[in-house]
Amino acid sequence: DIQMTQSPSSLSASVGDTVTIACRTSQAIFTYLHWYQLKRGTAPKLLIYTASTLQSGVPSRFSGSGSGTDFSLTISSLQPEDSASYYCQQTYATPFTFGQGTNLAI
Amino acid sequence: EVKVVESGGGLVQPGGSLRLSCAASGFNFSNYNMNWVRQAPGKGLEWVSYISASSRTISYIDSVKGRFTISRDNAKNSLFLQMNSLRDEDTAVYYCARAPLGFSDHWGQGTLVTVSS
């Protein structure tokens, strides 16, 4: 199985800040890496797919980068509604493993 | 509007069975792959199973192989997860998601499965 290492596990930031979440995979996965946002009581939301493609309807302050084994999600100009958990996932090979998650507090 | 709605969760004793359903609307269901993903209380997301549009390709996480069966009825725009021999560690919110290229682009609100005596 492909192991996912996501960091940090939690972080606190202020409105207007820029934060970066990292995701490292145990083997190269090209760009089969995706990012999701989870908020309590709502359906999970796809933010970024194939490492850097912004999902339709997602604000442009979200961006993704990386290939191979190292990836990152950057959120700029943080807004209060960005307070949530964020997960990376690889779909290069089954099982489609997720990172451990990052809890972002604004 | 793309919509997926899960149902069928509930309280079940260890060793018992449940069948989850997912009703899809707003897209051509028969053209899309689908995933089941779960989140145990206080834990992160865990991918459970995948089925291709034609049902030709099916995959499971090791911990549910031989106990869970994913299936779909394209004529009824429905996805299913038959869960047998349930264990305490299967307790989770189970999400159905559309999976155009493996990743999940539209998710339901989830259905809670509680395995407890």
Side-chain angles (χ1 to χ4, degrees):
Chain A
D1 297 1
I2 296 174
Q3 307 304 314
M4 312 289 286
T5 304
Q6 187 176 335
S7 62
S9 58
S10 64
L11 76 159
S12 181
S14 301
V15 172
D17 285 352
T18 295
V19 297
T20 298
I21 299 169
C23 185
R24 174 168 287 178
T25 58
S26 60
Q27 66 183 76
I29 61 167
F30 299 94
T31 57
Y32 291 88
L33 191 286
H34 324 288
W35 293 94
Y36 303 90
Q37 179 191 65
L38 267 72
K39 293 183 180 181
R40 191 180 300 274
T42 67
K45 180 180 179 181
L46 174 68
L47 299 173
I48 302 284
Y49 61 93
T50 55
S52 61
T53 305
L54 192 68
Q55 170 70 347
S56 176
V58 174
S60 59
R61 63 178 182 274
F62 291 90
S63 63
S65 65
S67 67
T69 61
D70 290 287
F71 303 86
S72 62
L73 171 71
T74 298
I75 314 171
S76 58
S77 300
L78 278 171
Q79 299 299 304
E81 60 265 30
D82 298 334
S83 184
S85 297
Y86 295 85
Y87 290 84
C88 58
Q89 183 198 27
Q90 66 80 22
T91 57
Y92 177 73
T94 57
F96 293 155
T97 39
F98 285 92
Q100 302 92 326
T102 296
N103 294 318
L104 172 61
I106 309 294
Chain B
E1 178 194 5
V2 173
K3 197 172 182 182
V4 293
V5 179
E6 306 90 342
S7 61
L11 174 64
V12 62
Q13 292 188 337
S17 297
L18 275 179
R19 180 176 167 88
L20 303 185
S21 299
C22 172
S25 60
F27 63 101
N28 192 340
F29 181 74
S30 62
N31 286 351
Y32 283 86
N33 311 317
M34 300 293 292
N35 281 324
W36 285 102
V37 177
R38 67 186 178 184
Q39 185 176 28
K43 303 290 186 180
L45 294 174
E46 180 176 57
W47 171 82
V48 174
S49 184
Y50 163 94
I51 186 168
S52 63
S54 65
S55 301
R56 176 175 293 184
T57 301
I58 286 175
S59 299
Y60 301 97
I61 194 171
D62 281 351
S63 60
V64 309
K65 282 180 183 175
R67 301 189 298 121
F68 289 13
T69 302
I70 191 171
S71 63
R72 62 191 296 158
D73 184 338
N74 286 344
K76 295 184 178 179
N77 295 334
S78 295
L79 175 72
F80 306 100
L81 187 67
Q82 177 67 44
M83 305 188 297
N84 299 330
S85 303
L86 282 161
R87 305 168 179 168
D88 290 351
E89 56 264 33
D90 295 319
T91 294
V93 174
Y94 284 74
Y95 296 100
C96 159
R98 192 177 79 165
L101 295 173
F103 61 85
S104 299
D105 70 345
H106 288 275
W107 301 58
Q109 297 275 1
T111 187
L112 176 62
V113 172
T114 303
V115 184
S116 175
S117 54

